[in-house]
Amino acid sequence: MTAVGTLSTGHIGLNVTELGRSLGFYRDALGFELLGEGKEEGRRFAFLGQGGELVLTLWEQAEGGYAAGSAGLHHLAFSAASIEEVRDFEARLRAADVDFAYEGVVAHREGSASGGIFFHDPDGTRLEISVPTGAEGAPTPTAGAPTCGFF
């Protein structure tokens, strides 16, 4: 398996049901580093980042999994440097038995050069790793609508 590339996003905070499980997923499957952690009962959290910069916080305060039909976060998208990097993450995630929304790299919409992979974290939060170009000719799972809107 090839090395994990660098993803980028703004600081995002997610509520999780089990900090240890979610920390393992984001650290081991997506390559984020643990920057800090709160271990006090009832106040558990983890700060995750890349190159020392904070990207994601996990807060153990959810009582149930992600609810797609509720107001709030629709999905969290990470940007990759190349379509090869997206495919490397796909292989890494498949090896970790992650739940995917679609098979392989898909286009963001019909005829689009942008696209990526769509999958779920341990609590069911919808995630995406994509690139602006390189997905030319990839299938489009949702005709007439953005792929990232309906998974």
Side-chain angles (χ1 to χ4, degrees), residues 52-94:
E53 184 175 332
L54 180 62
V55 174
L56 182 67
T57 58
L58 303 175
W59 305 95
E60 186 179 84
Q61 56 187 11
E63 293 181 12
Y66 178 78
S70 296
L73 179 72
H74 181 274
H75 73 284
L76 174 56
F78 296 105
S79 298
S82 68
I83 196 68
E84 293 78 20
E85 191 173 277
V86 171
R87 288 191 173 100
D88 290 344
F89 275 106
E90 178 187 9
R92 185 181 183 100
L93 292 164
R94 287 205 184 280

Side-chain angles (χ1 to χ4, degrees), residues 9-142:
T9 189
H11 169 127
I12 301 292
L14 295 177
N15 284 338
V16 300
T17 57
E18 295 177 36
L19 183 63
R21 180 180 68 170
S22 293
L23 176 58
F25 171 79
Y26 285 96
R27 183 190 56 220
D28 301 340
L30 295 181
F32 288 104
E33 61 191 69
L34 180 62
L35 301 177
E37 186 174 10
K39 298 180 180 184
E40 180 184 333
E41 186 63 35
R43 300 180 68 84
R44 297 187 66 216
F45 63 89
F47 294 147
L48 303 171
Q50 293 177 326
E53 184 175 332
L54 180 62
V55 174
L56 182 67
T57 58
L58 303 175
W59 305 95
E60 186 179 84
Q61 56 187 11
E63 293 181 12
Y66 178 78
S70 296
L73 179 72
H74 181 274
H75 73 284
L76 174 56
F78 296 105
S79 298
S82 68
I83 196 68
E84 293 78 20
E85 191 173 277
V86 171
R87 288 191 173 100
D88 290 344
F89 275 106
E90 178 187 9
R92 185 181 183 100
L93 292 164
R94 287 205 184 280
D97 202 29
V98 168
D99 175 44
F100 280 80
Y102 309 115
E103 185 61 37
V105 171
V106 296
H108 276 129
R109 65 184 172 283
E110 296 166 301
S112 177
S114 67
I117 55 174
F118 298 82
F119 54 100
H120 303 90
D121 80 357
D123 283 314
T125 302
R126 299 182 295 194
L127 303 172
E128 166 187 352
I129 299 176
S130 62
V131 289
T133 61
E136 296 88 347
T140 307
T142 309

